[in-house]
Amino acid sequence: MNADGWTVYGELVGRDWDTLTDSQLALVAIGELRSEVNNGGFDQYFFNSGGDLAPTARATASDAGVTALVNLLDRAMAAVGSPFKIDRNERQAALAAVSAHEAFDSLDREFCDLETSVNLDTLMNSLAGNA
């Protein structure tokens, strides 16, 4: 039976992320990316805890061969600063120095377009099957 990625994500997201397996963390990383960017854009994603997992989301997309998502994440992460700040407080300070609307508006639109052209539910379902 195929696992539903969103259901498994919902079961995992509230747990201590340090206790998750690599497969579980990969699913949470993609779920957080999708949830946060679709809700409030990349500025919200990077401001909140989901942004802590941006490098994991990027690595997961790369491993899955979702090149368009890798490229988009590279540009979004670079807009926050290089090197990317995994620490939330440091990242929030970096975000304060960035004009979020100017930096992320076009990237937010690209993400919405990507979600209509790439079936990220299939990726999440696959990750859930390994979680």
Side-chain angles (χ1 to χ4, degrees):
M1 182 168 92
N2 292 337
D4 177 70
W6 283 112
T7 300
V8 177
Y9 160 78
E11 295 167 359
L12 296 173
V13 70
R15 288 163 118 193
D16 179 350
W17 294 349
D18 290 332
T19 67
L20 300 179
T21 67
D22 289 345
S23 296
Q24 291 170 330
L25 193 60
L27 174 60
V28 170
I30 295 297
E32 283 292 280
L33 170 68
R34 294 181 70 195
S35 294
E36 292 286 348
V37 175
N38 283 318
N39 185 41
F42 276 104
D43 52 333
Q44 176 177 304
Y45 172 59
F46 290 133
F47 188 86
N48 290 335
S49 61
D52 298 356
L53 299 177
T56 303
R58 188 210 178 276
T60 301
S62 179
D63 290 347
V66 186
T67 308
L69 182 55
V70 172
N71 293 336
L72 182 57
L73 276 168
D74 282 345
R75 288 182 285 129
M77 291 167 67
V80 178
S82 183
F84 181 76
K85 311 283 189 267
I86 295 172
D87 179 82
R88 190 171 319 125
N89 292 327
E90 291 178 14
R91 193 172 59 250
Q92 288 174 346
L95 278 169
V98 172
S99 174
H101 291 297
E102 289 177 23
F104 298 122
D105 276 352
S106 65
L107 297 172
D108 293 344
R109 286 190 298 276
E110 281 186 56
F111 187 82
C112 288
D113 291 344
L114 183 137
E115 287 239 282
T116 62
S117 65
V118 176
N119 190 341
L120 294 178
D121 285 339
T122 300
L123 172 59
M124 288 183 66
N125 293 344
S126 174
L127 293 167
N130 297 323

